[in-house]
Amino acid sequence: IRESLQVVRSRDPRIHRMPFLDAGHKLGGKKEGGGGSDYHALGAMEVICSSMAKTLQTALHPPDWLQGNYMAVRYEDLVVEPIKTLRQVYGFVNLAVSPEMEKFTLNMTSGPGYSSKPFVVSARNATQALSAWRTALSYQQIKQVDVYCHQPMALLGYERVGSPEEVKDLSRTLLRKPRL
C-alpha cells in the first residue's frame, strides 16, 4: 500500500519530464487533459526502481539475519536455462523438482506459442518475449528507463545501451552476470 501511494503521489504534471511515450508510439495519442498518463508512468517508474534499488542494495550487503535467506532470480535466467534455474530455486528452499514441474517449466518457457499479453499463463516461446522490448520500445523510451532504473539494472546485470543500432542488434546479448 505504501509503494502504491508513493506512485500516486509521484504524479505531478508540473514537473517537467520528457513524455515516456513518443508521438509515433501506438499508445501516444493524447487523451483529454494532456499527457498525464505519461507523467504517471514516469512517476511510477521512479518509485518502483528506487524501491528496487534499495532492496537490491540490502541484498548485496545483507544484515546477518538475511544472509543466506534470499535468492535473486532473473526472468532471463529462467528462460535461457529453465531446468537449471528451476532446480536452483527448488534446491534453495530444500524441495525436489518433480518431472511434471520440469515439463511444465519447459512448456511455459519454450512452448510453441507466443502471447501478445505478457502475463497470460500459457505455453510460449519465452525467448521471443525476452527481447520484445528491444523492438517494441523506441530508443528514447529505453533511455528513459535507463535513467530511472540504472542502479537496479546494473546490480541485476543488465547492460546499458549506447545507440539505437545496439538495441536492435538482437544477436548481441545485453546481459552479464548479476552482482548478487
Side-chain angles (χ1 to χ4, degrees), residues 62-69:
D64 292 341
W65 62 268
L66 187 58
Q67 288 183 11
N69 291 319

Side-chain angles (χ1 to χ4, degrees), residues 32-53:
E32 288 184 32
S37 64
D38 290 355
Y39 295 106
H40 185 65
L42 286 173
M45 191 172 8
E46 283 180 285
V47 171
I48 291 166
C49 289
S50 174
S51 176
M52 185 181 290

Side-chain angles (χ1 to χ4, degrees), residues 20-168:
F20 182 65
L21 300 174
D22 34 75
H25 193 278
K26 66 181 178 179
L27 298 175
K30 296 288 183 193
K31 293 184 178 180
E32 288 184 32
S37 64
D38 290 355
Y39 295 106
H40 185 65
L42 286 173
M45 191 172 8
E46 283 180 285
V47 171
I48 291 166
C49 289
S50 174
S51 176
M52 185 181 290
K54 289 175 188 170
T55 299
L56 292 171
Q57 282 296 332
T58 301
L60 192 60
H61 306 290
D64 292 341
W65 62 268
L66 187 58
Q67 288 183 11
N69 291 319
Y70 70 92
M71 178 182 189
V73 180
R74 297 185 303 185
Y75 174 73
E76 293 84 354
D77 297 329
L78 183 61
V79 169
V80 173
E81 297 182 297
I83 299 302
K84 177 183 175 185
T85 305
L86 178 70
R87 288 177 180 167
Q88 288 173 337
V89 170
Y90 268 60
F92 183 77
V93 294
N94 296 316
L95 293 175
V97 180
S98 69
E100 292 83 9
M101 183 52 81
E102 287 184 357
K103 183 178 177 182
F104 174 81
T105 300
L106 283 174
N107 186 47
M108 287 291 118
T109 57
S110 55
Y114 178 77
S115 174
S116 61
K117 298 176 183 174
F119 299 107
V120 173
V121 177
S122 64
R124 66 168 59 198
N125 181 343
T127 56
Q128 289 176 331
L130 191 67
S131 58
W133 63 272
R134 293 174 79 173
T135 55
L137 298 177
S138 71
Y139 182 66
Q140 175 189 5
Q141 290 170 313
I142 292 167
K143 292 306 286 181
Q144 283 183 304
V145 172
D146 191 41
V147 165
Y148 291 109
C149 303
H150 64 89
Q151 288 179 313
M153 289 172 59
L155 289 171
L156 291 169
Y158 298 103
E159 290 187 23
R160 296 176 105 164
V161 292
S163 70
E165 296 76 26
E166 191 176 2
V167 171
K168 302 303 180 199

